[in-house]
Amino acid sequence: MADFKFDLENFVRVYLDLQKEKGWDGNVEENYWAGAVYTILDQGRGLDEFLQEHTKVNSQSVKDVLNFLSGVQKNQNVDDIKNTIKFVAEQVFCPKNNGNSRGYGNTPYVQMFLNRLNQFKDKDLVYEALKSLKSVSDYKRPGAEQYGLPMSKQRMSVYKDIATMLANNQNATIDDILEMIYFADTPDAAMKIINDVFAKTDDDLDIELNKDVPGTDVVGSILNKPRFVIRTVLDRQDLNPELSKQMGAIDSAPIKEFYKQLAQWEKIATEKYDFDKVIGSGDTQYVTNYENTLEEQNIGLVNTNERLSADNFRLTQSRDQYRENYEHEKELRARLLKKFEDERAAVSSLNEMLQSALAVIAAYENGERDVDKAGVFNKAAAKVKMKEQVEKANADLKRAREREEKRKAALAARQLKEGQAISI
């Protein structure tokens, strides 16, 4: 008890310990913990009084929590403790729904709980919690909608998360992995799961066949999984409606290829995982023995590979042609862009000379006007000013002309170097 720490992960462990010991349904467990909170924390009554009113338990972890609760009645964090107990016992595992069917109405709480499970250190506890949650959450597969059992996308997302987390857990069984086939929404996703089921089958068979006396029932159950997952997809029973819809497009080339792959996997499932071959081999070399009999089947795979290689060669040629066309268009664009820049520079230069010429004319006109308006004694000064303005304007015009000559010379030199026709 001295080392006991109350937090969400530890209380989930305690909740499941009580569940395993008593085998109660969720309502009884929820009432048990609600009673502990009410009697010990809310009313401040002693632990002995609570134990007199409730069934005695043997689980030490449950006793540790009850002792902990009796010692924190005046603790400033007592509300957080209450919320944790309520969250697990009431909002997640046994939601109150005002008389409605259990499993509906607590979706946000379950989503939050799954998020917290990802942070738990004890992955064995995570697996156990997921299994328990799946059993009490009215768990359904996407294909259930075809039987008139619609549900929100948010709720279905919760079920997919539960299935995915179970399949990804270190304790995942072959059934946990196989369950993911019902959530696959594309042929590629289905093939990945099928591959995982076959790989897990090999692992489980190795473990069982390495025992002194393998269990024939266990071996038979393991060998059945590859065939089962293939038939589930081929029969399209309870599949994700999206995958089932795609498989209905039998004239589609990708779907034809998908069915061809399924047929190859089904042949492997039938021939490789034959019970008599596996049990009667007398050793664990069933995989190697099987692979030696696959020469005929491999011929088909080689032919397929050759066809794919030919397709890849054609695609490579097309890619090279597209790349060549792209480089040509890129070069043409660069030339046109340079030509545009040259023309824009020419327009800018000519515009500068035009403005300078207009400035010279304006200097003359403004100067003559100022001279005419000036009095007898101011005319000389006006003429001097006019001369200065005209000279300045002419100097600007001269510089503009020089810049234009340099621009044309530079353009001609560049075009000559690049072998282009010279255009000034």
Side-chain angles (χ1 to χ4, degrees):
M1 176 62 190
D3 297 330
F4 179 78
K5 175 186 176 183
F6 184 91
D7 58 18
L8 178 61
E9 181 169 354
N10 278 329
F11 184 70
V12 169
R13 182 179 292 104
V14 171
Y15 182 89
L16 295 176
D17 285 347
L18 181 61
Q19 185 182 74
K20 286 183 288 186
E21 178 182 341
K22 293 300 182 182
W24 292 332
D25 64 23
N27 286 312
V28 177
E29 289 168 355
E30 189 276 324
N31 289 334
Y32 184 89
W33 291 111
V37 169
Y38 177 74
T39 303
I40 301 174
L41 297 182
D42 291 340
Q43 291 191 327
R45 293 156 59 189
L47 178 57
D48 291 338
E49 294 182 67
F50 170 77
L51 295 176
Q52 290 174 3
E53 299 172 0
H54 292 80
T55 304
K56 181 180 179 180
V57 296
N58 296 317
S59 172
Q60 184 58 47
S61 64
V62 176
K63 294 178 180 178
D64 287 343
V65 169
L66 294 176
N67 286 322
F68 172 79
L69 295 181
S70 67
V72 297
Q73 293 173 340
K74 297 181 180 180
N75 190 296
Q76 60 180 355
N77 296 323
V78 70
D79 288 337
D80 292 336
I81 296 169
K82 291 180 183 179
N83 288 338
T84 298
I85 295 175
K86 179 180 179 181
F87 175 67
V88 174
E90 177 182 321
Q91 296 168 335
V92 173
F93 285 98
C94 185
K96 292 181 177 180
N97 295 284
N98 299 320
N100 295 329
S101 176
R102 186 167 45 168
Y104 296 89
N106 72 329
T107 299
Y109 296 112
V110 177
Q111 288 177 317
M112 185 187 303
F113 182 68
L114 294 176
N115 180 271
R116 293 296 186 270
L117 281 181
N118 283 321
Q119 302 172 23
F120 282 14
K121 296 179 181 179
D122 187 345
K123 300 309 175 184
D124 294 340
L125 174 63
V126 170
Y127 184 79
E128 188 179 347
L130 287 168
K131 280 292 190 182
S132 178
L133 182 60
K134 182 180 177 182
S135 69
V136 301
S137 64
D138 198 32
Y139 174 87
K140 290 183 177 65
R141 300 160 176 166
E145 293 190 358
Q146 65 181 306
Y147 303 113
L149 299 170
M151 69 187 65
S152 69
K153 290 183 179 180
Q154 189 179 21
R155 190 69 187 180
M156 184 53 66
S157 176
V158 164
Y159 296 148
K160 183 177 181 180
D161 287 345
I162 292 174
T164 303
M165 291 174 69
L166 280 169
N168 287 333
N169 190 274
Q170 62 190 21
N171 298 308
T173 66
I174 194 170
D175 287 321
D176 293 326
I177 297 172
L178 194 152
E179 181 69 16
M180 291 302 299
I181 199 66
Y182 299 105
F183 292 89
D185 54 4
T186 66
D188 285 345
M191 289 308 304
K192 182 181 183 302
I193 295 163
I194 289 171
N195 184 73
D196 289 346
V197 169
F198 276 61
K200 182 62 174 173
T201 297
D202 289 341
D203 291 342
D204 288 358
L205 277 176
D206 282 339
I207 293 172
E208 190 63 27
L209 292 175
N210 275 310
K211 294 179 179 179
D212 287 342
V213 182
T216 55
D217 289 343
V218 175
V219 172
S221 176
I222 296 172
L223 293 173
N224 183 56
K225 304 304 181 182
R227 288 191 293 273
F228 180 82
V229 71
I230 296 296
R231 290 316 313 175
T232 298
V233 179
L234 285 172
D235 296 340
R236 294 162 62 182
Q237 290 296 315
D238 298 328
L239 289 185
N240 187 313
E242 180 58 33
L243 176 58
S244 183
K245 178 182 177 182
Q246 293 180 43
M247 292 181 65
I250 56 177
D251 293 331
S252 165
I255 296 302
K256 287 182 179 178
E257 183 63 28
F258 179 52
Y259 275 108
K260 186 182 297 185
Q261 291 176 342
L262 288 174
Q264 292 172 344
W265 280 101
E266 186 173 36
K267 184 177 181 181
I268 294 173
T270 301
E271 296 180 1
K272 176 179 179 179
Y273 301 112
D274 179 83
F275 182 84
D276 291 333
K277 290 180 182 179
V278 173
I279 291 297
S281 66
D283 56 37
T284 61
Q285 301 303 313
Y286 65 94
V287 176
T288 303
N289 294 337
Y290 171 77
E291 288 173 348
N292 293 334
T293 69
L294 287 180
E295 294 303 323
E296 184 178 349
Q297 181 174 324
N298 285 342
I299 292 174
L301 296 177
V302 169
N303 292 336
T304 299
N305 183 62
E306 290 176 350
R307 176 177 59 78
L308 293 175
S309 297
D311 291 342
N312 182 63
F313 178 73
R314 287 193 295 272
L315 290 173
T316 300
Q317 287 183 316
S318 299
R319 181 200 64 190
D320 293 341
Q321 184 62 50
Y322 282 127
R323 182 174 294 168
E324 183 179 341
N325 292 342
Y326 167 75
E327 294 297 333
H328 174 73
E329 295 295 334
K330 182 179 178 182
E331 181 181 351
L332 178 60
R333 180 181 180 277
R335 288 202 303 267
L336 291 175
L337 182 61
K338 192 63 180 177
K339 184 178 180 181
F340 169 74
E341 294 294 338
D342 291 338
E343 292 176 350
R344 185 167 64 176
V347 171
S348 177
S349 180
L350 292 174
N351 185 60
E352 183 181 6
M353 286 196 299
L354 175 60
Q355 295 299 322
S356 297
L358 291 175
V360 172
I361 295 171
Y364 274 111
E365 291 178 347
N366 293 336
E368 290 176 349
R369 187 169 52 252
D370 291 341
V371 170
D372 291 341
K373 290 181 180 180
V376 176
F377 300 103
N378 294 325
K379 285 188 180 292
K383 288 180 179 181
V384 171
K385 182 179 180 182
M386 181 184 73
K387 180 182 178 182
E388 292 175 350
Q389 291 175 340
V390 170
E391 289 176 349
K392 181 179 181 304
N394 277 320
D396 291 341
L397 177 59
K398 180 181 179 181
R399 284 192 292 272
R401 286 173 176 168
E402 290 173 349
R403 283 193 290 270
E404 170 61 10
E405 290 301 324
K406 289 181 180 180
R407 183 197 68 79
K408 292 193 291 185
L411 175 61
R414 195 193 80 229
Q415 291 177 332
L416 181 62
K417 182 178 180 181
E418 294 176 356
Q420 303 178 17
I422 297 175
S423 58
I424 303 304

